[in-house]
Amino acid sequence: MLGRLLLSRAYHSTKGVFGCRPRPSAGYEGVEAAVLAKRNANANVYRWIEAYRTHGHRLAAIDPVRFQQGRDDAGTKLPELDYARYGLGATDRVDPAGLLSVPPTQQPLTLPELEQLLARIYCGTCSIELGFIESEEEREWLAARYEQLFRAPRPNTERRELAELMLKSQAFDHFLAVKFPTVKRYGGEGAESMMAFYWELFRCAAEQDLRNVVIGMPHRGKLNVLTTMFGTRPAKIFRKFKGHPEFPGDAQAMCDIASHFHTAADVTVGGKTFHLNMLHNPSHLEAVNPVSMGKARAKQLAHGDGPYDVSGGQRRSRVLNVQVHGDAAFPGQGINQECLMMATVPHFEVEGTVHLIVNNQVGFTTPAERGRSTRYVSDLAKSIMAPVVHVNGDDPEMLAGATRMAMEYRERFGKDFFIDLNCFRRWGHNELDDPTMTNPLLYRVIHARQSIPDVYAQRLIADGVLDQQDVDAISKSHQNYLTAELQAHAEYEPERSYFGAQWSGLQQPGDEVTVWNTGVDYRLLGHIGRESVTLPAGFNVHPHLQKTHIDARLKRLADGQRIDWATAEALAVGSLLCQGFHVRLSGEDVGRGTFSQRHAMLVDQQTNELYVPLNAMAAGQPHAGRFELANSILSEEAVLGFEYGMAIDSPNSLVLWEAQFGDFFNGAQIIIDTFLVSGETKWMLCNGLVMLLPHGYDGAASEHSSCRMERFLQMTDSRETSPDGDAVNLQVVNPSTPAQYFHVLRRQMIRNFRKPLVVVAPKTLLRLSDCVSTHADFAPGTHFQPVLGDPECGARVDPKRVRRVVLCSGKHYYTLQAERTARQVTDVALVRLESLCPFPVQAIRDELAQYVNAREFVWSQEEHRNMGAWTFVQPRFENMCERRIQYRGRPEAATVAVGVSQWHVQQAEEVIKSTLY
C-alpha cells in the first residue's frame, strides 16, 4: 500500500482543488489468463525473452560512430542472453504467440530462429529499457507496443518524405557553410534524423486532436528545424546573419542571436490544425525546459484543459510539452533533475512530456565517458520510471516509430517518455571549432563516414524507393529555394510577433511613471476578507488557527484600523479574483507561508482534505478568477523557470513566486539573468512575474537575512542621470505597509503593460504591531505611493526645524522610528523609498521641498555598504536631486551578516546611533 501511495502521487484532497484534478484509480486487471497460461507452460523460454527485454539494450547497435570496443558491444555474448542458461536447447521449438507481440508464425520457431528475432528487436539499431519500470501494466504495454514496431515495413511514400526532410536539412547546412562561412550556426549535421522525430510527432499530434505543442529546444539543429519544418522563412535567418535586427524598427529591443529564435505558428497535418510554440532559449543549456513546462501549463489553464478540467471528464490534456536535450547537458545540468521531480507533482504536472536527447556523444570537447557517471545519458529518466528507447541516428524509420510509441504512451498514461537519439556532431562545438585536437579517434571515424541523410538515401536507392536523380533533385531544389530567400533578405520585413492573441490591448510602456487607481470599496474588501476565513460546515480547523488566524482576521476586518500584511494580501488576491484575474502563488509551503502567516490553504485535521476559501468565494461568480496555490518541490531554478513560462503566456494571471527566504533566489540565478530581466529586450517577450523575497536583518546570520536587493538593482536598466519611467526592465519595491503591498499587487494586473516585479518582502513586519493599515488606505482613489513621507511631520517633527533628512526603505524605518520616539528626537525626518526602481526622483524632490533648512541628507540601511540599495541610491539622488547624501549603515563585508548574536546587536545599535545623532 505504501508503494502504491507513493507512485500515485496522492494529493491531500480526494475531491481536487483548482489546478489539480484527482487521477482516476487504475482499471488494470492484470495479464490475461490465457497469456499467463502460455507463459507458465513455457516458463524457461519466457524467462529468456524477459532477459532480452531487460538486458538486450546492452548489446544494441545504437552507435553510428563506434570507434572503440566496450564491455557489452555487439558481437559479444551476455550470459543473461544465452538460452542454455535457462535449460533450453537449439532443437527446442516454441510458438512465440503470447510470449512476444509478433505476427503469427506458420510453425513453431527453433531457439536459434527465436534468438535471431529477439536480437533484431532488442539488439538492433533500436532498443528499449524496461527493467526499472515497476508498473506491470506499463511494462506489458511497452513491451507489446515496442515489439509491434518491427511487424511491418514503413510505406515507401513515408520513407520518401523522411529522406526529403533530411536531405533538405543537409542542404541548408551546406548552403550556410558556403554563404556564411564565419557564422556559428550550430547546425544539424550528424543529427539530421531528428527531422523524423518532428515529422512523426506532428502526425501524432494531429491524430490525437492536440491544440498546442510547446517545445523547448537548444541550439543544435534549431535553425534547420525552424526553416525546414516550422515555417520560418530562411530570409529571416539570413537577414539576421547579415547583421540586421529581427524586430520592426519601433520595437524597444536589443535582439538576440539567430540560434535563440522562436516560432509560433499554426501547423496543419492531415486536415487538422494545432498551434506550435518553440520557445526562445538562452545559451544556458536546458534552462528553457521548465519554461516550456510552465508555458504548456498556461495553455492548459487557458483552455480549461488537463489539470484545470472541472467537467469531471478524464480526457488527456490536449496540450503537449516537448523537450529536446543535449547529451552532455541533460545529465550534467541539475535543472533537469528538478524538472523531472516536478513531472507528476500537483500544480506542476503537464500530463506527460516527450523528451528527445540529441546524443552527439561529445559535449563541447568532453567525450561521453568523462561527461557523466552513468551508462546512458538518459539514466536520469529512471528516477521517475520514465521509459527510454535508444535509437541509432542512421535509422530514422525506427526513430519515427519510437516517437509514435512515445506519443501513444503519453496519451495513455499521462507520463514522460524519453528517446535517446545516438548520432554525432560533424564539426566541433560550432562550425569554427576543430574537434580533432581533443577527440582525434572519434573524428577520424566521423570524417570517414557518409552523412546520415546520404546513408539513408543510399538505402532507399538500394530498395528501389529513390534513385540518385531524385536525391540530387531534392537537394538542388532546396538549394534554389535558399538562394532565392538569400536574395530576398533585404526586402524581408520583420514580423510583429508580439502583443497579439491574449496579449492584445497590452503594450510596452513609455518613459513616464504612471499612477493607477488600485483602491477598492471597503465593503467589498470586508466581504472578501470574511470569505477568506469562511470554512464549510464540519471542517475541522486547527484550534490554533481558529484563534490566531480566523478569529483575529475577523476582528481586524470589523475594526478596519489594524489590517495586517497577510490580510492585505488576501484582500488583493480576492479582489483580483472578483475582477476575473487568475492568481497563482508557488513556492515551498506557500499555502501556509514560510512564517505561518498566510494560511490561504487549510487542511482538515481529521480528514486531511484541503480547502481554499477564496476559491469557494469565487465559485459563485461565473466570470471570477481562481486562486492556485502551488506548493512546490525544494527547487528554485526549475520552479522559477516554470512560473516564468506561466507568466509569458498568461497576462491575465497574477503569477507570484515566493522564496522561502529571500537569498534563496540565487539558486535560480540563471532563470533571472537569461529570462526574467532580459527576455523583453532580447525577444520582445513581456512578463508580469512577481518574486516575493523575504528580507530583513534579525540576527539569523548570512543565509536568512538578505534578498540581495543590490543584485536586482544592478540588473535593472535604470538611469543614473535622468528619471526612470515605467519602461525599466525590472521593478523593485520595498513596501513598508500592508496597504502598499496590496496596491502593488493589484497594480501588476490593472496596468496596460506587464513588467517583472521584485518585492523585498517582510519577515518581522508580518506581525509587527506598528505595521498595519487602515480601511482608508485601501479606499477607491488610493494607489501605491513610491515615497512615503514622515508621518510625524507637522506633529512632533517641525519641517522647518529639521536639520537632517534620513532616507530609508522597508523594515528599517520601524527601527529608526522606534528609536526616534524613545529618544524624543525632533530634528530628524524619516522618508521612506517604497519604490527603488523606477527611482522616484520627482516624489523625493516633492518631499524634500518642505525641509527648507535641512543641511544633511543621509541614506540609512541595515545592509553592509557594498550591499543593499546604497550604491544604487547615491548616484541617482546626487545627480537628480542635486544634494550630497551620506551613508549610514554596516561597513563593507564579504558575507551578508555576522553569525554572532552579540556582534549583530552591536552593529544594529551603531547603525541607529549614527543615523539619528
Side-chain angles (χ1 to χ4, degrees):
M1 177 61 72
L2 176 60
R4 184 173 298 172
L5 285 174
L6 289 174
L7 286 175
S8 68
R9 295 289 157 215
Y11 204 42
H12 280 352
S13 176
T14 57
K15 302 174 183 176
V17 295
F18 180 71
C20 178
R21 64 175 180 180
R23 290 203 174 198
S25 58
Y28 179 63
E29 297 179 355
V31 180
E32 294 180 8
V35 175
L36 280 178
K38 180 67 179 289
R39 292 175 182 177
N40 289 333
N42 298 273
N44 287 345
V45 175
Y46 188 65
R47 289 171 58 210
W48 178 50
I49 290 173
E50 283 289 282
Y52 264 94
R53 289 170 174 164
T54 302
H55 302 288
H57 63 89
R58 293 163 57 186
L59 295 182
I62 57 175
D63 187 354
V65 287
R66 183 179 297 276
F67 72 97
Q68 57 186 3
Q69 297 300 308
R71 183 181 58 190
D72 299 335
D73 290 315
T76 65
K77 189 75 172 181
L78 293 178
E80 295 92 339
L81 303 185
D82 184 357
Y83 54 74
R85 185 173 187 173
Y86 304 94
L88 303 172
T91 59
D92 292 338
R93 288 184 172 272
V94 62
D95 178 5
L99 305 178
L100 279 172
S101 184
V102 295
T105 57
Q106 295 292 329
Q107 58 185 2
L109 302 178
T110 65
L111 267 294
E113 290 173 335
L114 182 56
E115 183 177 46
Q116 186 177 12
L117 176 61
L118 289 170
R120 183 170 75 89
I121 294 174
Y122 287 102
C123 304
T125 56
C126 183
S127 195
I128 189 171
E129 291 189 79
L130 292 172
F132 58 89
I133 305 291
E134 292 185 9
S135 166
E136 181 184 62
E137 179 186 12
E138 292 183 35
R139 283 200 316 276
E140 290 287 329
W141 185 92
L142 287 164
R145 186 64 188 85
Y146 175 74
E147 289 160 7
Q148 290 167 8
L149 295 179
F150 299 84
R151 283 189 169 186
R154 188 170 289 274
N156 287 340
T157 54
E158 295 183 2
R159 300 175 77 190
R160 288 179 64 97
E161 288 183 36
L162 289 175
E164 184 173 352
L165 287 171
M166 294 168 60
L167 288 167
K168 285 181 176 179
S169 176
Q170 178 171 263
F172 179 78
D173 279 321
H174 288 174
F175 185 85
L176 293 187
V178 172
K179 302 297 183 181
F180 300 95
T182 62
V183 172
K184 299 175 183 178
R185 64 182 186 272
Y186 304 101
E189 292 160 293
E192 292 94 345
S193 48
M194 79 168 72
M195 294 295 173
F197 167 78
Y198 284 113
W199 176 79
E200 191 67 62
L201 184 89
F202 287 1
R203 298 203 315 161
C204 292
E207 292 169 12
Q208 294 176 5
D209 290 322
L210 298 188
R211 285 180 171 177
N212 292 87
V213 175
V214 180
I215 302 174
M217 180 183 180
H219 316 60
R220 172 90 157 112
K222 190 173 187 179
L223 298 181
N224 305 59
V225 172
L226 285 172
T227 56
T228 305
M229 298 202 68
F230 291 4
T232 299
R233 282 191 59 185
K236 177 179 179 178
I237 310 298
F238 301 153
R239 187 176 191 274
K240 184 65 180 179
F241 284 168
K242 290 287 189 178
H244 301 290
E246 61 269 28
F247 297 115
D250 61 347
Q252 300 175 35
M254 295 177 68
C255 303
D256 201 0
I257 59 175
S259 57
H260 294 177
F261 278 5
H262 93 304
T263 190
D266 289 332
V267 176
T268 300
V269 179
K272 295 183 178 179
T273 301
F274 59 87
H275 191 69
L276 170 72
N277 289 95
M278 174 178 277
L279 299 181
H280 295 282
N281 61 288
S283 293
H284 290 69
L285 297 174
E286 311 296 321
V288 73
N289 296 335
V291 179
S292 72
M293 293 174 69
K295 188 175 179 71
R297 178 93 185 183
K299 295 295 185 187
Q300 293 171 339
L301 173 63
H303 297 312
D305 170 72
Y308 298 101
D309 183 358
V310 296
S311 67
Q314 290 296 334
R315 191 195 192 286
R316 184 69 58 220
S317 171
R318 295 171 67 188
V319 178
L320 171 68
N321 178 228
V322 178
Q323 294 177 26
V324 181
H325 311 280
D327 56 312
F330 181 72
Q333 300 292 314
I335 194 170
N336 288 314
Q337 177 177 317
E338 296 179 27
C339 287
L340 292 180
M341 291 303 107
M342 294 193 298
T344 59
V345 169
H347 304 290
F348 294 92
E349 68 166 335
V350 293
E351 297 200 344
T353 294
V354 173
H355 301 260
L356 175 70
I357 302 177
V358 180
N359 190 346
N360 303 311
Q361 307 187 68
V362 60
F364 192 55
T365 62
T366 303
E369 64 270 17
R370 293 200 293 275
R372 62 182 186 274
S373 296
T374 58
R375 175 188 292 271
Y376 296 117
V377 297
S378 57
D379 281 343
L380 277 181
K382 297 175 182 177
S383 66
I384 60 168
M385 287 177 280
V388 180
V389 173
H390 305 280
V391 188
N392 189 315
D394 279 333
D395 196 342
E397 294 177 31
M398 286 310 303
L399 175 59
T403 304
R404 177 165 290 271
M405 181 178 170
M407 291 289 285
E408 292 173 356
Y409 176 85
R410 183 260 178 191
E411 177 70 14
R412 181 181 178 93
F413 296 103
K415 296 176 60 179
D416 290 36
F417 192 106
F418 280 80
I419 300 172
D420 173 22
L421 172 61
N422 289 264
C423 50
F424 57 90
R425 199 172 60 201
R426 174 66 66 177
W427 311 114
H429 178 63
N430 57 67
E431 292 73 22
L432 310 183
D433 176 49
D434 181 2
T436 62
M437 292 186 287
T438 51
N439 294 283
L441 297 184
L442 173 63
Y443 275 88
R444 187 178 302 166
V445 175
I446 290 174
H447 291 157
R449 58 154 288 161
Q450 284 184 298
S451 72
I452 283 180
D454 288 345
V455 167
Y456 187 60
Q458 291 303 313
R459 186 189 312 166
L460 297 193
I461 290 173
D463 291 346
V465 179
L466 293 173
D467 57 34
Q468 189 60 51
Q469 287 182 329
D470 294 327
V471 173
D472 295 340
I474 291 170
S475 298
K476 181 64 175 176
S477 174
H478 201 58
Q479 290 272 358
N480 292 340
Y481 165 67
L482 295 173
T483 299
E485 284 289 290
L486 179 60
Q487 293 171 349
H489 85 274
E491 289 74 40
Y492 173 79
E493 292 292 334
E495 67 271 20
R496 190 177 299 275
S497 59
Y498 39 91
F499 298 126
Q502 68 268 38
W503 285 86
S504 297
L506 297 172
Q507 61 188 36
Q508 283 189 299
D511 282 335
E512 295 182 352
V513 174
T514 53
V515 176
W516 298 82
N517 177 7
T518 48
V520 178
D521 191 291
Y522 192 70
R523 290 172 294 181
L524 174 57
L525 292 181
H527 168 73
I528 292 170
R530 290 187 294 273
E531 288 291 321
S532 73
V533 289
T534 298
L535 302 175
F539 191 92
N540 301 286
V541 69
H542 193 288
H544 179 70
L545 295 185
Q546 180 68 53
K547 176 181 178 182
T548 62
H549 176 63
I550 297 175
D551 294 344
R553 177 166 295 180
L554 291 173
K555 184 177 183 302
R556 291 178 185 276
L557 290 166
D559 179 60
Q561 298 299 310
R562 302 187 61 78
I563 305 299
D564 66 347
W565 203 274
T567 302
E569 180 183 81
L571 299 181
V573 170
S575 61
L576 289 172
L577 299 182
C578 290
Q579 290 179 258
F581 298 108
H582 293 302
V583 179
R584 176 183 167 95
L585 171 61
S586 85
E588 294 149 20
D589 201 15
V590 292
R592 186 199 72 168
T594 294
F595 308 101
S596 196
Q597 84 283 4
R598 181 172 292 120
H599 301 294
M601 175 185 283
L602 296 165
V603 182
D604 189 297
Q605 299 298 296
Q606 298 299 321
T607 66
N608 219 37
E609 283 286 336
L610 291 180
Y611 189 72
V612 180
L614 283 176
N615 278 337
M617 175 198 74
Q621 307 174 47
H623 301 294
R626 294 294 184 270
F627 189 19
E628 184 170 15
L629 286 153
N631 290 318
S632 76
I633 66 172
L634 191 66
S635 154
E636 281 77 41
E637 186 177 6
V639 170
L640 186 62
F642 190 101
E643 302 310 323
Y644 174 82
M646 290 284 294
I648 60 175
D649 200 77
S650 301
N652 291 318
S653 295
L654 176 61
V655 181
L656 306 105
W657 175 74
E658 182 175 66
Q660 191 176 60
F661 284 88
D663 58 305
F664 292 168
F665 79 85
N666 55 18
Q669 195 69 58
I670 287 174
I671 300 298
I672 294 167
D673 290 347
T674 60
F675 289 101
L676 189 72
V677 304
S678 60
E680 182 176 348
T681 190
K682 289 191 297 188
W683 308 319
M684 287 298 292
L685 206 58
C686 299
N687 80 92
L689 180 65
V690 179
M691 296 176 63
L692 305 177
L693 306 179
H695 172 93
Y697 280 53
D698 309 313
S702 294
E703 275 72 56
H704 293 85
S705 295
S706 174
C707 76
R708 291 287 196 171
M709 70 176 81
E710 65 276 3
R711 295 186 182 176
F712 292 100
L713 293 171
Q714 190 272 334
M715 284 188 283
T716 70
D717 55 4
S718 169
R719 300 176 292 239
E720 291 188 3
T721 57
S722 60
D724 294 327
D726 289 331
V728 291
N729 67 317
L730 176 67
Q731 304 204 347
V732 182
V733 299
N734 191 0
S736 61
T737 74
Q740 286 282 83
Y741 179 50
F742 168 90
H743 289 300
V744 84
L745 291 183
R746 284 185 47 76
R747 189 181 68 170
Q748 279 294 99
M749 304 308 296
I750 300 302
R751 298 188 293 197
N752 62 354
F753 62 90
R754 298 289 179 262
K755 287 288 182 177
L757 171 68
V758 171
V759 177
V760 181
K763 296 183 292 181
T764 59
L765 294 191
L766 294 171
R767 293 181 175 83
L768 185 68
S769 59
D770 289 337
C771 185
V772 292
S773 298
T774 72
H775 65 84
D777 298 324
F778 302 88
T782 57
H783 55 84
F784 176 75
Q785 300 179 60
V787 172
L788 290 180
D790 195 331
E792 301 287 339
C793 184
R796 281 187 269 183
V797 175
D798 182 352
K800 294 181 179 179
R801 298 183 60 188
V802 167
R803 62 178 177 84
R804 176 182 296 175
V805 177
V806 175
L807 285 81
C808 61
S809 190
K811 162 186 175 276
H812 190 45
Y813 161 78
Y814 291 96
T815 307
L816 295 173
Q817 166 65 0
E819 180 69 12
R820 184 177 67 167
T821 300
R823 298 300 182 104
Q824 297 183 349
V825 177
T826 60
D827 57 354
V828 175
L830 301 178
V831 177
R832 281 171 278 178
L833 268 62
E834 302 284 288
S835 171
L836 294 168
C837 183
F839 190 71
V841 175
Q842 190 57 49
I844 295 173
R845 287 174 175 170
D846 293 343
E847 189 61 33
L848 297 184
Q850 61 186 311
Y851 303 113
V852 293
N853 295 314
R855 292 296 178 264
E856 292 182 306
F857 299 91
V858 168
W859 173 259
S860 183
Q861 65 179 36
E862 292 185 297
E863 300 82 13
H864 291 278
R865 187 172 185 137
N866 56 322
M867 304 170 198
W870 163 244
T871 56
F872 183 84
V873 169
Q874 183 196 20
R876 288 161 179 80
F877 183 86
E878 293 186 347
N879 290 337
M880 291 181 279
C881 296
E882 299 175 329
R883 293 170 172 86
R884 299 286 293 176
I885 191 168
Q886 304 173 45
Y887 172 78
R888 298 290 188 274
R890 287 174 166 84
E892 294 84 349
T895 187
V896 166
V898 295
V900 179
S901 59
Q902 290 184 347
W903 297 352
H904 168 77
V905 172
Q906 291 171 1
Q907 288 182 347
E909 291 176 348
E910 179 57 33
V911 171
I912 295 169
K913 184 187 301 182
S914 63
T915 298
L916 295 177
Y917 312 127

